[in-house]
Amino acid sequence: MLHLTDTFRLFPYSYAVSSKIEPFYKGGNVQVSKDENYIFCTCGSHVNVLEISTGKIVHSVEHVSPECWGGVGVDFELLVTASRALLLKQWDWRQAQCTRSWKAIHTVPVASMTFDSTSTLLATGGCDGTIKLWDVVKQYCTHNLKGSSGVVHLVQFHPDINRLQLFSSSLDCGIRLWDLRSSQCVCVLQSHYSAVTSLTFSSNGATMVSSGRDKICTVWDLKTRKAKRTVPVYEAVEGVVLLPENKDFSQIGVKSKDLHFITAGSKGVLRVWEASTARCVYTQTLPSSTLSSASEDEEEKDGDPRSLTYLLHLPTSSRLATVTAEHNIMLYQLLDLTTQQQFVGYNDEVLDVKFLGKGDSHIVVATNSCQLKVFELLTNSCQILYGHTDTVLSLDVFKKGSLFASCAKDRSVRVWHMDSDSGHVRCVAQGSSHANAVGSITCSRMKASFIVSGSQDCTVKVWDLPADLSATGTGIHQLTAHTTEKAHDKDVNSVAVSPNDKLLASGSQDRTAKLWSLAGKGNLGLLGVFRGHRRGVWAVCFSPVDQVLATSSADGTTKLWSLQDFSCLKTFEGHDASVLKIIFVSRGTQLLTSGSDGLVKLWTIKTNECVKTLDAHQDKVWGLHASHKDDKMVTGSADSNITVWMDVTEEELAEEQAKQEDQILKQQELSNLLHEKKYLKALGLAISLDQPHTVLSVIKGEDSHELLEKTLLKLRVDQKESLLRYCVVWNTNARNCLDAQAVLQVLLTHLPPEELLQYQGARTHLEGLIPYTERHMQRIGRLLQASMFLNYMWQKMRVAGKGKGSSEERLGDGGDDSDSGQDEDPHSPVEKEDEEEDNEVSVTKKASTSDGRVENGESTRTNGNHQSECEESSEEEDIEQDDKDQIKTAKCLPVSSAPQTYAS
């Protein structure tokens, strides 16, 4: 009989989302607030605000249109963004509200942006070669500086505001000095032969240091406007910071009072230079001593993932912030350049995840990379572990939680130790004798005595561990496999050790699972084979209390097997695709399974029933692990998200279910109202559910303009406010602009301006409508001109055809056919049959190598509501489809004047 201690719950578990580690930075501009408490970084169409102390995203500013970011300028309370729609927007980032927007005047997008030291002047550098200065208090353009050649990719004010000087750089690699009193370019500082990346100034403002991708830094005397010294740094430099004066920096090689500066660039390390002698006095130590000489040589190559792209100085806290090409943000103490915090902006695909440390305080993650990441759950601060030279595929943790093992495509296994006091993780052992990628690994359960690995070479290896692995200063122990067994005919996808360390289970692509004896010191002894799955076996797991083995397969099923007669006891069906991971929880009374359908399911073994389906991911859930007490669970997915789940009480579970049921009932009610054509109630319900796409469908379903007008005027004020906000989004899409303009016509015709301006964000919404409406009007004007020219040519053809007896007959029906052909939409999508996903893919091939996901930062799924309306550009697309309707309703557009008519 099973006796449960008070450590464990006496009733089944049910999990709810506790926290998430999501991508918050996918490349682009990074800045730090003046109080040095927040980091601002771009992620797709968002500007995320990261709180440094907690590592949490506390605010997220989102555009209401599918625009790309041209630049970000940030002050402590002020955020200004520039978009490809040639709009500048000023935000109250704490409330995520746009307080003002205005035209950038640039003819092409803004490429760079910066505030002056008082945060009252804003400079924008455009791709058109011009620089605009804006008074953000009085809200007008103060300067228009022309003369730069090409894209102005760098603008920076002199820190002494009394000098009224601005520095800029463009494609000619010169540094222009602008006198803002005369609006003239005073001089061009020529020294660099490649793009100038950053400028930094001395405390007295008399000296400036510039860095460039031409592998040099130049020290400038701003009084004489001449170069004092050119320092070759032998790497493409992305950032430079001058060391403050009158501070002791002896720990980083500063022995004199001469000018010193720090560089960050393609080599991925911080270096300190003495300006007077052009000598490097200190080079930062790389994060790992396990790097081979080959990998160190590769650091100088372009595109190295560890190269630094930004260097930011935090003077108040005496820290430096760097950004790597892997989208990691690192904070260093300036006095000794030691790592203080690391934040991972983007994880790529999560291939495995495990709890780690005392009290499950950390998680270790494999993320389609040769580096491992260890997150502290309290602060989201991350350690990056270097050692493997190819993608890490699988992880497992020993019972005490301070030791864990990893395996990778580089055919090696490694054992890592985390210090319980400092939390520092280091590699303590490694072994490599497999002939192919190692796709699975498992640790001994009783004590840290051995590990077992399964490989694509179809073998299983048992590796003995020394007893003093956790001792400090012992170096990296070289492991040798004391047992090697050809276990399967195809790739070994999973291995698991029984709770008493006497049995081993293996699952393979050959559709079988096998049970092995680990008792002897010799070869593994085969005890039996589990047959019954129709596709490859992805995972195997022993029950913690019963003589039972669980397996999951690409055939979408999970099976329980008897260890005594190898018969199938139960089969669980519910996933729509491959079941990738399986674990026992609640002392063996429940099962957790995760699949390539993005779902995690909780099963009760006794009733063979799925009691809960957890939907927090949009792609394959490769990582699944429960804490020692089973009260916490962590999942990792190919959608780059890591989710921590906590057990919830029955009351919390009932409340959550009630909310879900209420949402379902409202959706059903909305469907019924639409079917019954009760548009007023349907419109109000869709607005209350915040579903812009459904609201748009209701508006499109109105039979006439009069009925639409009657319905809209009956809405409440708050519903009209939401409708106005939706119109801003719809107006950015050429397909939906007519519906947006029809709604606007009703609102602007029947509501007085005083009432409209009382709506929340009304001024901002109207300002956002103007540029797109003007663009639609210009397109309609061009369409009218083209249609009149076509009509003119048709009339001339008719005149030319008169008198030719058979010409009218030849044209007859043919003309009609030609006209009807023009009404067809050339851009209508062609339905294609989706290819069936190949589930017979080895575990060693589960990592995606696509780089487009990181660079574009776009998800392949949308939420179907607000976002679905923002996916398409507002450029001239699908014009043919809407030409007729646009011509007929051009006179209904209320925001801009009607287009000009063109004489034939």
Side-chain angles (χ1 to χ4, degrees):
M1 181 178 178
L2 179 64
H3 297 282
L4 298 179
T5 66
D6 57 357
T7 305
F8 294 91
R9 282 261 301 270
L10 296 176
F11 52 87
Y13 283 86
S14 183
Y15 297 94
V17 175
S18 171
S19 62
K20 282 190 175 185
I21 300 177
E22 300 176 293
F24 64 86
Y25 172 63
K26 297 181 180 179
N29 201 357
V30 175
Q31 294 191 28
V32 179
S33 62
K34 281 191 173 181
D35 63 355
E36 301 179 5
N37 291 328
Y38 303 98
I39 295 176
F40 294 77
C41 47
T42 55
C43 184
S45 61
H46 293 72
V47 176
N48 289 325
V49 184
L50 176 74
E51 189 174 27
I52 296 176
S53 60
T54 63
K56 307 291 185 182
I57 299 298
V58 294
H59 302 284
S60 184
V61 175
E62 180 184 6
H63 261 307
V64 294
S65 57
E67 299 168 342
C68 297
W69 299 98
V72 178
V74 65
D75 182 33
F76 179 49
E77 294 291 345
L78 183 65
L79 174 69
V80 176
T81 62
S83 65
R84 293 200 180 188
L86 306 182
L87 284 177
L88 294 174
K89 293 190 176 183
Q90 182 176 315
W91 301 82
D92 178 358
W93 57 266
R94 293 184 183 275
Q95 303 296 327
Q97 291 183 350
C98 179
T99 58
R100 175 179 169 241
S101 63
W102 68 96
K103 288 187 177 181
I105 305 180
H106 294 279
T107 58
V108 288
V110 172
S112 56
M113 184 187 301
T114 187
F115 280 100
D116 71 340
S117 58
T118 65
S119 299
T120 58
L121 281 180
L122 175 70
T124 57
C127 296
D128 54 4
T130 66
I131 302 170
K132 318 288 185 186
L133 266 68
W134 308 86
D135 188 322
V136 295
V137 178
K138 298 181 180 179
Q139 303 182 358
Y140 69 98
C141 180
T142 63
H143 296 74
N144 184 16
L145 309 178
K146 298 180 180 180
S148 301
S149 57
V151 176
V152 181
H153 60 263
L154 175 66
V155 287
Q156 190 164 340
F157 286 94
H158 193 282
D160 184 0
I161 190 61
N162 295 322
R163 297 195 182 198
L164 287 177
Q165 291 178 342
L166 178 73
F167 295 82
S168 68
S169 183
S170 56
L171 292 181
D172 61 2
C173 306
I175 302 172
R176 283 177 166 77
L177 172 57
W178 303 86
D179 183 359
L180 300 184
R181 291 185 177 88
S182 62
S183 299
Q184 298 296 320
C185 177
V186 177
C187 65
V188 181
L189 307 178
Q190 296 285 357
S191 173
H192 293 278
Y193 296 93
S194 186
V196 179
T197 53
S198 72
L199 306 173
T200 183
F201 300 86
S202 61
S203 58
N204 60 7
T207 303
M208 180 180 73
V209 179
S210 61
S211 65
R213 298 196 180 107
D214 52 5
K215 303 184 178 182
I216 65 170
C217 289
T218 304
V219 183
W220 301 91
D221 186 341
L222 294 183
K223 292 182 179 179
T224 62
R225 297 168 185 167
K226 301 291 184 183
K228 295 168 60 177
R229 185 86 184 189
T230 298
V231 181
V233 294
Y234 310 108
E235 67 170 330
V237 182
E238 298 294 335
V240 60
V241 167
L242 272 172
L243 284 177
E245 301 173 1
N246 303 323
K247 284 191 177 182
D248 182 14
F249 293 103
S250 57
Q251 296 185 64
I252 54 176
V254 178
K255 305 299 182 183
S256 66
K257 294 184 178 181
D258 293 340
L259 192 70
H260 290 75
F261 58 89
I262 299 177
T263 58
S266 58
K267 289 188 176 181
V269 295
L270 298 175
R271 297 194 288 172
V272 183
W273 299 83
E274 188 176 43
S276 60
T277 62
R279 184 171 59 94
C280 178
V281 297
Y282 181 83
T283 300
Q284 184 187 34
T285 304
L286 288 172
S288 174
S289 60
T290 61
L291 291 175
S292 64
S293 59
S295 63
E296 289 176 356
D297 294 338
E298 290 175 357
E299 290 175 17
E300 297 187 5
K301 295 181 180 179
D302 293 336
D304 179 55
R306 288 207 280 174
S307 62
L308 302 178
T309 57
Y310 286 93
L311 177 63
L312 306 171
H313 185 207
L314 285 65
T316 304
S317 57
S318 190
R319 291 183 294 178
L320 291 176
T322 64
V323 182
T324 72
E326 289 181 315
H327 313 302
N328 302 326
I329 301 175
M330 302 186 179
L331 296 177
Y332 299 96
Q333 289 289 352
L334 185 57
L335 294 178
D336 54 6
L337 296 186
T338 55
T339 305
Q340 186 186 51
Q341 285 177 285
Q342 298 183 63
F343 301 106
V344 175
Y346 185 75
N347 279 317
D348 204 354
E349 295 187 17
V350 178
L351 304 183
D352 206 355
V353 58
K354 292 288 189 293
F355 281 109
L356 185 66
K358 186 178 180 180
D360 301 317
S361 58
H362 295 69
I363 56 173
V364 56
V365 187
T367 59
N368 197 16
S369 166
C370 57
Q371 292 92 39
L372 287 168
K373 298 180 176 70
V374 178
F375 290 89
E376 184 181 10
L377 292 177
L378 186 62
T379 64
N380 278 4
S381 182
C382 177
Q383 295 180 62
I384 300 175
L385 307 181
Y386 297 89
H388 286 289
T389 57
D390 206 340
T391 303
V392 180
L393 295 173
S394 184
L395 303 165
D396 198 18
V397 181
F398 288 91
K399 185 176 181 179
K400 291 186 178 181
S402 59
L403 279 174
F404 66 95
S406 62
C407 63
K409 284 185 177 180
D410 60 7
R411 308 178 185 181
S412 73
V413 297
R414 286 180 177 264
V415 179
W416 309 79
H417 175 256
M418 186 176 77
D419 184 78
S420 58
D421 296 326
S422 64
H424 178 70
V425 181
R426 63 185 182 91
C427 181
V428 294
Q430 64 176 346
S432 55
S433 60
H434 276 288
N436 214 324
V438 187
S440 59
I441 196 164
T442 185
C443 301
S444 56
R445 301 291 98 187
M446 302 291 289
K447 60 178 182 179
S449 56
F450 65 90
I451 58 175
V452 182
S453 59
S455 169
Q456 197 174 357
D457 61 12
C458 306
T459 66
V460 171
K461 290 180 181 288
V462 181
W463 312 74
D464 285 331
L465 302 181
D468 58 346
L469 269 183
S470 59
T472 59
T474 57
I476 299 178
H477 186 84
Q478 297 300 318
L479 301 177
T480 55
H482 81 77
T483 300
T484 300
E485 184 74 27
K486 186 181 184 301
H488 292 273
D489 297 328
K490 291 185 179 181
D491 303 359
V492 180
N493 288 339
S494 178
V495 287
V497 174
S498 65
N500 61 3
D501 285 350
K502 292 183 179 180
L503 299 175
L504 172 71
S506 60
S508 170
Q509 205 65 29
D510 62 8
R511 307 181 184 183
T512 67
K514 294 185 179 181
L515 185 67
W516 308 83
S517 171
L518 278 171
K521 283 290 185 181
N523 294 332
L524 293 171
L526 179 62
L527 299 178
V529 181
F530 304 95
R531 292 186 174 91
H533 283 294
R534 301 186 304 274
R535 306 294 291 271
V537 177
W538 276 111
V540 293
C541 182
F542 284 98
S543 169
V545 293
D546 297 319
Q547 298 294 311
V548 170
L549 179 75
T551 62
S552 64
S553 168
D555 61 12
T557 66
T558 301
K559 292 179 180 291
L560 292 184
W561 307 84
S562 170
L563 298 184
Q564 297 177 350
D565 57 7
F566 308 103
S567 62
C568 180
L569 303 176
K570 287 179 180 289
T571 298
F572 301 88
E573 295 180 331
H575 286 279
D576 295 332
S578 300
V579 184
L580 304 175
K581 284 290 177 69
I582 180 172
I583 56 175
F584 285 89
V585 292
S586 302
R587 296 302 296 265
T589 62
Q590 289 182 299
L591 278 175
L592 277 169
T593 59
S594 65
S596 56
D597 53 7
L599 302 178
V600 177
K601 291 182 177 289
L602 181 64
W603 307 82
T604 299
I605 295 177
K606 184 177 180 179
T607 61
N608 207 33
E609 177 188 6
C610 177
V611 295
K612 190 170 186 180
T613 298
L614 308 175
D615 185 6
H617 296 285
Q618 299 179 357
D619 209 338
K620 304 177 185 67
V621 182
W622 289 112
L624 177 66
H625 191 229
S627 63
H628 174 64
K629 296 181 180 180
D630 291 346
D631 59 342
K632 278 194 301 188
M633 176 183 67
V634 62
T635 56
S637 168
D639 63 7
S640 307
N641 292 332
I642 302 167
T643 305
V644 179
W645 308 77
M646 294 290 291
D647 179 42
V648 294
T649 64
E650 292 181 341
E651 293 78 9
E652 293 171 334
L653 182 62
E655 183 179 352
E656 180 186 353
Q657 290 176 344
K659 290 181 179 178
Q660 293 177 352
E661 291 174 359
D662 182 61
Q663 190 76 6
I664 294 173
L665 289 175
K666 287 184 177 179
Q667 294 286 352
Q668 184 62 45
E669 182 184 358
L670 178 61
S671 178
N672 294 338
L673 290 173
L674 290 175
H675 180 72
E676 297 169 3
K677 295 186 178 182
K678 296 181 179 179
Y679 292 122
L680 178 60
K681 291 184 177 180
L683 197 62
L685 184 57
I687 293 174
S688 66
L689 292 173
D690 195 22
Q691 295 184 355
H693 180 70
T694 307
V695 175
L696 181 63
S697 300
V698 174
I699 291 175
K700 288 180 179 291
E702 295 285 5
D703 298 331
S704 64
H705 180 75
E706 290 76 14
L707 181 59
L708 174 64
E709 183 177 8
K710 183 179 179 181
T711 302
L712 295 182
L713 292 177
K714 291 181 180 179
L715 293 175
R716 301 192 309 268
V717 173
D718 60 320
Q719 294 173 332
K720 293 177 182 177
E721 288 180 353
S722 300
L723 199 58
L724 180 61
R725 174 164 52 89
Y726 297 158
C727 284
V728 178
V729 181
W730 301 337
N731 195 50
T732 63
N733 191 324
R735 289 182 175 181
N736 303 322
C737 68
L738 294 180
D739 301 290
Q741 295 291 340
V743 173
L744 287 173
Q745 184 186 27
V746 175
L747 296 178
L748 296 178
T749 302
H750 295 277
L751 299 180
E754 313 81 56
E755 182 179 344
L756 269 177
L757 291 177
Q758 296 299 319
Y759 286 5
Q760 185 178 5
R763 188 180 299 273
T764 301
H765 296 330
L766 294 176
E767 289 175 349
L769 286 165
I770 292 173
Y772 285 102
T773 302
E774 290 179 347
R775 189 177 299 180
H776 298 325
M777 295 300 301
Q778 291 170 2
R779 184 173 67 251
I780 292 175
R782 292 193 298 268
L783 183 61
L784 284 173
Q785 183 180 18
S787 64
M788 289 181 178
F789 177 75
L790 182 63
N791 183 57
Y792 171 76
M793 293 298 297
W794 172 245
Q795 294 296 332
K796 290 296 183 183
M797 291 171 64
R798 290 173 61 89
V799 171
K802 286 182 178 179
K804 297 181 180 180
S806 61
S807 62
E808 296 281 350
E809 298 175 2
R810 288 198 303 269
L811 285 174
D813 294 336
D816 294 338
D817 292 341
S818 176
D819 289 344
S820 63
Q822 291 179 1
D823 291 340
E824 296 179 0
D825 183 7
H827 299 288
S828 60
V830 179
E831 297 183 357
K832 297 181 180 179
E833 182 179 358
D834 294 333
E835 297 181 358
E836 181 181 359
E837 178 185 359
D838 184 9
N839 290 323
E840 294 290 339
V841 179
S842 169
V843 68
T844 57
K845 299 177 182 177
K846 64 185 179 182
S848 170
T849 57
S850 172
D851 293 331
R853 181 190 303 270
V854 178
E855 295 174 357
N856 297 331
E858 295 179 355
S859 172
T860 58
R861 287 180 57 178
T862 58
N863 60 11
N865 294 333
H866 196 141
Q867 187 177 357
S868 65
E869 298 302 325
C870 300
E871 288 178 343
E872 300 182 8
S873 170
S874 60
E875 299 297 330
E876 300 178 10
E877 57 183 22
D878 298 323
I879 297 175
E880 295 86 348
Q881 180 181 356
D882 300 318
D883 283 352
K884 283 189 174 182
D885 294 336
Q886 289 178 344
I887 295 176
K888 293 178 181 178
T889 58
K891 61 182 179 181
C892 299
L893 297 173
V895 175
S896 181
S897 58
Q900 298 178 0
T901 56
Y902 298 89
S904 59

